[in-house]
């Protein structure tokens, strides 16, 4: 079986934009598989075919497809001529040696001109399998589902289906910029936006050299992991320590966290606009920490003029943690570091910030210059997965 048949669901619905969505999905699959022995990726009457070369590491190919948003499910498949007799013989050969209690055949015709209906095809192939192996047919809960897909000039068959990640192909929704702390929440927030077709850039604020480099290393590790889902990422590392010292000297203790956050948003927004992002993303959750009361979220959010998305806003910590574990970000996120937000933060932060008071406190700060300097001095790092330099077009 040297083909993989990929099915998509949601993108099939996108009307006139459909060819463009499918083109993106093909491009993303090609990029994601670029360093593996893959001969071609092509669209084929409502599904896609990936043709593997002899050197393809099947498990790794599967891993890559499982990280390609837009894929509903996929299967290792064999292509045959459009000849039911030949198809049956080939299926029987491929099933030899397999142990199985019950099975069913599921047929689909991509081209309705094929003279037999799907139930007729199912009966024909099913009858041959039953005659050869004596397996019991079970239409509801079969051990094994033999899928047959009849196209115009060829047919495919495959056994069972593996779930893909769903979602929309990365890049189809545009670009967003995620504020990535190194904690548990923000990587999960970024991943959720990727799933909806967003390409994600990252901004991390650190307090090096006042604090260690650990938070930057964590941010890099997290971006490296997330890049496996979008192939390319850009991370901006922003030095925040000096800004915090300026705030420390000018702003009363309880207001500082909110002022830090508003500065982070302004800086991230400038970076976002320079990089053509259409929105900002954070891992905020209502009520999780003192800075995340509704009042504080509102006052912090006022600092942004781009749309600000908080995809985890209504989730429990346990739910987010479970998602982080599935994603693989959790072990990186829990590595101890010194978060820049704990620096110069008093024990009694304001929980019900008032916009007017915060704005008054900010008046003594040269906000524009601070933002400009932070953006100018930001360090940009690019990540790529797989490492191929440039996408190989086939
Ligand atoms: P996380 O687990 O994502 O760090 P958290 O529960 O620790 O979230 P906060 O520390 O209050 O919550 O941060 C809320 C959000 O603000 C984060 O999800 C992130 O989007 C942003 N943020 C906080 N600190 C930083 C930072 N150092 N760099 C970039 N973004 C940050
Ligand atoms: Mg945090």
């Amino acid at each position: 079986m040297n083909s993989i048949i990929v099915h998509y669901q949601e993108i099939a619905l996108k009307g006139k934009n459909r060819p463009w969505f499918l083109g993106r999905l093909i491009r993303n699959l090609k990029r994601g598989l670029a360093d593996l022995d893959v001969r071609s990726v092509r669209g084929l009457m409502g599904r896609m075919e990936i043709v593997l070369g002899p050197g393809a590491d099947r498990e790794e190919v599967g891993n890559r497809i499982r990280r390609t948003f837009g894929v509903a499910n996929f299967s290792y498949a064999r292509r045959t001529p459009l000849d039911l007799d030949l198809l049956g013989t080939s299926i029987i050969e491929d099933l030899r040696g397999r142990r199985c209690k019950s099975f069913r055949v599921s047929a689909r015709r991509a081209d309705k001109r094929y003279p037999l209906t799907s139930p007729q095809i199912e009966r024909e192939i099913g009858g041959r399998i039953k005659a050869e192996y004596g397996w019991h047919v079970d239409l509801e809960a079969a051990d094994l589902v033999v899928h047959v897909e009849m196209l115009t000039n060829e047919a495919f068959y495959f056994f069972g289906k593996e779930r893909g990640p769903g979602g929309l192909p990365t890049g189809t929704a545009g670009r967003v910029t995620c504020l990535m702390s190194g904690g548990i929440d923000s990587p999960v927030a970024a991943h959720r936006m990727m799933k909806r077709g967003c390409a994600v850039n990252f901004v991390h604020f650190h307090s090096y050299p006042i604090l260690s480099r650990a938070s930057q290393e964590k941010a890099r590790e997290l971006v490296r992991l997330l890049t496996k889902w979008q192939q390319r990422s850009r991370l901006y590392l922003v030095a925040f320590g000096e800004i915090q010292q300026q705030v420390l000297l000018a702003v009363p203790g309880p207001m500082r966290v909110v002022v830090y956050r508003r500065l982070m948003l302004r800086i991230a927004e400038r970076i976002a606009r320079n990089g053509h992002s259409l929105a900002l993303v954070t891992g905020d959750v209502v009520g999780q920490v003192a800075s995340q009361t509704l009042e504080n979220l509102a006052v912090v959010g006022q600092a942004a003029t781009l749309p600000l998305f908080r995809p985890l806003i209504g989730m429990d910590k346990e739910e987010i943690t479970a998602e982080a574990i599935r994603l693989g970000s959790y072990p990186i996120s829990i590595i101890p570091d010194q978060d820049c937000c704990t620096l110069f933060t008093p024990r009694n932060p304001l929980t019900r910030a008032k916009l007017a008071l915060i704005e008054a406190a900010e008046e003594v700060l040269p906000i524009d210059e601070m933002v400009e300097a932070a953006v100018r001095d930001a360090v940009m790092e690019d990540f790529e997965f797989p490492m191929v330099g440039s996408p190989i077009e086939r």
Side-chain angles (χ1 to χ4, degrees):
M1 297 205 161
N2 65 347
S3 281
I4 294 177
I5 292 291
V6 170
H7 289 107
Y8 39 86
Q9 262 158 14
E10 196 166 357
I11 45 177
L13 307 173
K14 294 279 169 184
K16 274 198 199 130
N17 283 333
R18 194 161 167 266
W20 181 74
F21 272 83
L22 298 182
R24 279 300 174 109
L25 181 55
I26 291 179
R27 191 193 73 178
N28 292 352
L29 283 166
K30 282 182 178 172
R31 275 193 187 170
L33 297 166
D35 60 334
L36 302 177
D37 188 9
V38 169
R39 294 289 157 84
S40 65
V41 180
R42 59 173 183 146
L44 204 58
M45 306 181 75
R47 69 267 295 139
M48 281 168 194
E49 185 195 17
I50 299 171
V51 181
L52 303 179
D57 175 345
R58 282 161 164 268
E59 202 180 313
E60 187 55 22
V61 170
N63 290 340
R64 304 279 175 92
I65 298 172
R66 271 186 285 274
R67 290 193 299 252
T68 307
F69 286 122
V71 173
N73 61 70
F74 66 99
S75 312
Y76 292 94
R78 194 182 296 285
R79 181 169 0 123
T80 73
L82 192 67
D83 175 326
L84 202 59
D85 191 42
L86 236 131
L87 189 64
T89 307
S90 184
I91 290 173
I92 293 209
E93 281 323 302
D94 269 335
L95 286 174
R96 198 168 295 289
R98 202 182 261 256
R99 290 158 63 99
C100 161
K101 286 200 202 72
S102 63
F103 80 103
R104 72 181 169 91
V105 179
S106 164
R108 277 168 71 179
R109 295 177 307 163
D111 186 338
K112 304 294 183 211
R113 288 174 302 184
Y114 189 76
L116 298 186
T117 63
S118 295
Q120 287 172 325
I121 298 167
E122 288 167 0
R123 270 197 296 279
E124 181 72 26
I125 303 279
R128 285 191 60 181
I129 296 172
K130 192 168 164 55
E132 183 76 21
Y133 297 115
W135 298 338
H136 167 69
V137 175
D138 184 340
L139 297 182
E140 264 93 58
D143 266 359
L144 173 74
V145 181
V146 177
H147 295 271
V148 176
E149 301 200 337
M150 313 297 270
L151 276 53
T152 302
N153 298 310
E154 61 210 320
F156 288 90
Y157 65 85
F158 45 89
F159 309 133
K161 288 181 180 177
E162 292 194 52
R163 272 173 76 96
L168 298 171
T170 300
T172 53
R175 186 168 293 282
V176 299
T177 291
C178 178
L179 286 80
M180 260 275 291
S181 59
I184 294 169
D185 305 330
S186 35
V188 174
H191 188 249
R192 288 202 157 201
M193 298 307 290
M194 287 178 179
K195 182 165 184 172
R196 296 310 302 163
C198 297
V200 182
N201 281 353
F202 301 91
V203 179
H204 174 70
F205 297 91
H206 64 84
S207 302
Y208 181 80
I210 304 169
L211 298 178
S212 78
R213 281 201 165 101
S215 82
Q216 294 181 64
E217 213 25 71
K218 282 175 69 179
R220 285 192 188 98
E221 274 308 306
L222 290 166
V223 172
R224 212 166 275 141
L225 175 83
L226 287 162
T227 303
K228 293 184 171 183
W229 298 79
Q230 66 174 4
Q231 276 93 53
R232 278 150 183 222
S233 304
R234 182 160 283 181
L235 166 65
Y236 295 87
L237 297 161
V238 178
F240 203 60
E242 250 180 63
I243 292 178
Q244 285 179 289
Q245 277 171 323
Q246 274 175 277
V247 172
L248 174 78
L249 295 175
V251 175
M255 290 189 184
R256 277 179 216 149
V257 175
V258 170
V259 172
Y260 293 156
R261 284 296 147 83
R262 284 166 57 88
L263 279 161
M264 281 187 183
L265 275 187
R266 291 190 185 98
I267 295 165
E269 172 159 301
R270 185 73 66 85
I271 291 172
R273 286 194 187 277
N274 290 344
H276 308 290
S277 278
L278 301 173
L280 297 170
V281 177
T282 71
D284 284 310
V285 179
V286 173
Q288 205 189 67
V289 289
S291 60
Q292 294 173 335
T293 60
L294 285 182
E295 288 87 346
N296 287 2
L297 288 170
V299 171
V300 170
Q302 287 278 349
T305 60
L306 279 176
L308 169 59
F309 297 133
R310 293 158 161 146
L312 311 185
I313 196 72
M315 289 177 77
D316 280 348
K317 195 76 195 178
E318 287 89 281
E319 295 169 324
I320 300 169
T321 301
E323 206 164 307
I325 291 170
R326 279 199 298 280
L327 174 60
S329 57
Y330 184 75
I332 307 168
S333 294
I334 59 170
I335 296 170
D337 68 347
Q338 297 164 300
D339 185 57
C340 70
C341 292
T342 53
L343 189 64
F344 312 130
T345 300
R347 285 179 188 280
N348 58 337
L350 211 63
T351 53
R352 297 189 193 289
K354 296 261 183 305
L355 184 61
L357 295 181
I358 296 288
E359 281 175 343
E362 283 176 348
E363 253 167 40
V364 295
L365 293 169
I367 300 265
D368 286 345
E369 283 106 88
M370 289 162 87
V371 170
E372 210 160 285
V375 172
R376 187 192 58 224
D377 297 340
V379 174
M380 189 178 89
E381 294 183 5
D382 283 329
F383 295 76
E384 198 185 2
F385 183 90
M387 292 285 292
V388 285
S390 63
I392 298 165
E393 291 301 337
R394 272 175 281 230

